[in-house]
Amino acid sequence: HHHDHHHHHDVPVTVLLSHMAEHNHSHLHELEHLAEHMEGEAKAKVLEAVKAYDEGNAKLAEALKLLEA
């Protein structure tokens, strides 16, 4: 899919952060699906990436809560 990287001067940072977290979440599911069709070290690396995405999304959610507080 295509990524549009425009300057979002008029969009609140919380909206952008929320959008990015949702976008990352969709990639997480795509990677999990790809890993189902792999074996060995390649599968392990993709599953590590899934874990990293998940951890990153948790940090984005924490940041969003702090910004919205």
Side-chain angles (χ1 to χ4, degrees), residues 6 9 13 18-19 24-25 31-32 34-35 37 39 59 66:
H6 301 291
H9 298 292
V13 69
S18 179
H19 169 76
N24 286 350
H25 193 72
L31 288 169
E32 286 176 324
L34 287 174
H37 303 281
E39 295 180 6
K59 291 184 187 307
L66 290 169

Side-chain angles (χ1 to χ4, degrees), residues 43-56:
K43 182 175 186 170
K45 290 295 180 187
V46 171
L47 292 176
E48 284 179 34
V50 167
K51 183 178 177 185
Y53 263 104
D54 203 30
E55 291 171 355

Side-chain angles (χ1 to χ4, degrees), residues 1-41:
H1 64 275
H2 183 70
H3 290 251
D4 288 321
H5 293 280
H6 301 291
H7 294 281
H8 302 283
H9 298 292
D10 53 348
V11 179
V13 69
T14 53
V15 172
L16 291 173
L17 202 55
S18 179
H19 169 76
M20 292 176 82
E22 289 173 20
H23 187 85
N24 286 350
H25 193 72
S26 71
H27 283 301
L28 191 148
H29 290 296
E30 292 170 15
L31 288 169
E32 286 176 324
H33 182 70
L34 287 174
E36 292 174 4
H37 303 281
M38 297 179 184
E39 295 180 6
E41 188 67 18

